[in-house]
């Protein structure tokens, strides 16, 4: 008994020493990550995006707006405490991963699906899933089709370099039906292919199709089938090998998710500054010890919520009820409400 307890004490001491050392290393590398160094020297974060209303699109003044754009601004707040120190550039699905690899971007916030080959074969890391999506089919109504299987013999537009291009081939292989793919790189051409009757249907992430349907000349002539052909967890993508940059992205996203779970919003965040709850004090940086230990501004989560809002606010403002897209939260709500959004603890 005596021996066990001494042994345990020694182990606890050794663990505490290792943990302190690790904390020191992380805090130091917060300043030493290659990507972060480049970003700081440049004074701006470079983000690759798509062009879909609600998710990422420039407004009439050329200012980028949208769900993914708001996460870009949130990351700029974590790094610079300035939501404007971020530059968004459109890049096609085909071009954007190579552009990220070559250093043209620091991060993609363009609806990239997290997959195992993008991790191992292509060398990317993914932050937390920010949108749980699935592949859909946008079909000409006059075909009278209710399910993907009924598209036997159809001509289907796919965008090159996407998971959609691979999934649709799997789908038809699985169902034993035939289709003719028309592979298109450029987004404008992709939409035009359906508008002009060159293809019978388009396949892509369902939310993207729902948004792009609004850009067709006669949206009511097309229907987004309810079926989903795949899982498309859309996540921030960065180059593998920069843990520090990955953690900055991770905890920025988690801050928006955790804020919603706490019920902290852009409007009410200041009232929470007086909270006696230790978890909320740590989260908002009222107790600065956490931020100091991890090498970030102790108020980074406060600053994010104050400026862009919590996850739910970002969702509703850009793609939720009352927007032209009118999306349900579905899986994209906190685990406490039956969704898949779950932040690890801020401690
Ligand atoms: N999630 C799929 C598709 C990605 C994708 O194509 N996303 C849409 C936006 S959600 C896009 O970028 N479309 C082209 C554009 O918007 O310019 C993938 O990772 O391969």
């Amino acid at each position: 008994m005596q021996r066990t307890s001494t042994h345990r004490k020694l182990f606890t001491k050794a663990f505490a020493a290792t943990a302190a050392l690790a904390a020191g290393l992380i805090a130091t590398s917060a300043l030493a990550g290659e990507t972060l160094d480049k970003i700081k020297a440049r004074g701006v974060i470079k983000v690759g995006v798509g062009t879909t209303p609600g998710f990422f699109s420039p407004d009439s003044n050329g200012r980028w707006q949208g769900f993914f754009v708001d996460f870009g601004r949130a990351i700029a707040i974590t790094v610079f405490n300035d939501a404007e120190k971020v530059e968004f550039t459109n890049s096609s699905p085909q071009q954007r991963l190579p552009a990220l690899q070559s250093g043209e971007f620091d991060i993609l916030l363009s609806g990239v699906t997290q997959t195992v080959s993008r991790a191992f074969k292509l060398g990317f890391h993914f932050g937390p899933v920010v949108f749980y999506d699935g592949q859909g089919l946008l079909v000409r109504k006059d075909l009278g089709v209710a399910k993907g299987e009924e598209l036997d013999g159809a001509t289907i537009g796919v965008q090159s370099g996407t998971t959609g291009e691979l999934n649709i081939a799997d789908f038809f292989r699985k169902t034993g039906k035939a289709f003719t793919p028309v592979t298109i790189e450029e987004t404008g051409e992709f939409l035009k292919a359906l508008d002009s009757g060159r293809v019978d249907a388009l396949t892509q992430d369902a939310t993207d199709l729902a948004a792009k349907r609004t850009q067709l000349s006669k949206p009511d002539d097309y229907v987004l089938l309810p079926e989903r052909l795949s899982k498309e967890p859309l996540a921030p993508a960065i180059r593998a090998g920069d843990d520090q940059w990955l953690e900055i992205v991770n905890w920025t996203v988690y801050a928006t998710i955790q804020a919603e779970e706490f019920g902290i919003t852009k409007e009410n965040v200041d009232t929470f500054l007086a909270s006696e709850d230790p978890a909320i004090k740590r989260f908002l940086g009222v107790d600065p010890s956490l931020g100091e230990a991890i090498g970030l501004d102790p108020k980074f989560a406060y600053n994010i919520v104050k400026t862009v809002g919590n996850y739910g606010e970002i969702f509703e403002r850009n793609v939720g009820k009352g927007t032209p897209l009118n999306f349900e939260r579905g899986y994209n709500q906190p685990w406490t409400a039956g969704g898949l959004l779950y932040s690890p603890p801020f401690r």
Side-chain angles (χ1 to χ4, degrees), residues 2 6 19 39 52 83-84 87 90 100 139 141 152 207 215 245 268 300 319 328:
Q2 178 67 36
T6 311
I39 290 170
T52 307
E84 301 309 311
E87 183 185 291
N90 175 235
L100 173 63
V139 177
K141 251 187 205 164
D152 196 11
T207 48
Q215 297 175 306
W245 180 226
N268 72 15
F300 84 98
V319 299
E328 300 280 348

Side-chain angles (χ1 to χ4, degrees), residues 67 130-132 256-257 260-261 310-317 319-321 326-335 337-341:
F67 176 86
V130 290
F131 201 103
Y132 290 91
T256 67
I257 293 174
E260 182 171 21
E261 189 183 323
N310 70 32
Y311 181 99
E313 293 176 285
I314 295 172
F315 186 101
E316 294 299 349
R317 178 167 68 234
V319 299
K321 299 272 168 251
N326 203 26
F327 288 157
E328 300 280 348
R329 293 289 299 270
Y331 293 126
N332 299 299
Q333 56 187 329
W335 65 292
L340 295 176
L341 303 177

Side-chain angles (χ1 to χ4, degrees), residues 50-52 93 96 111-113 118 162-163 187 204-205 208 212:
T51 48
T52 307
R96 60 179 67 134
V112 185
T113 302
R118 285 174 175 171
T162 62
T163 46
T187 304
Q204 172 68 289
D205 298 344
D208 189 44
K212 287 188 170 143

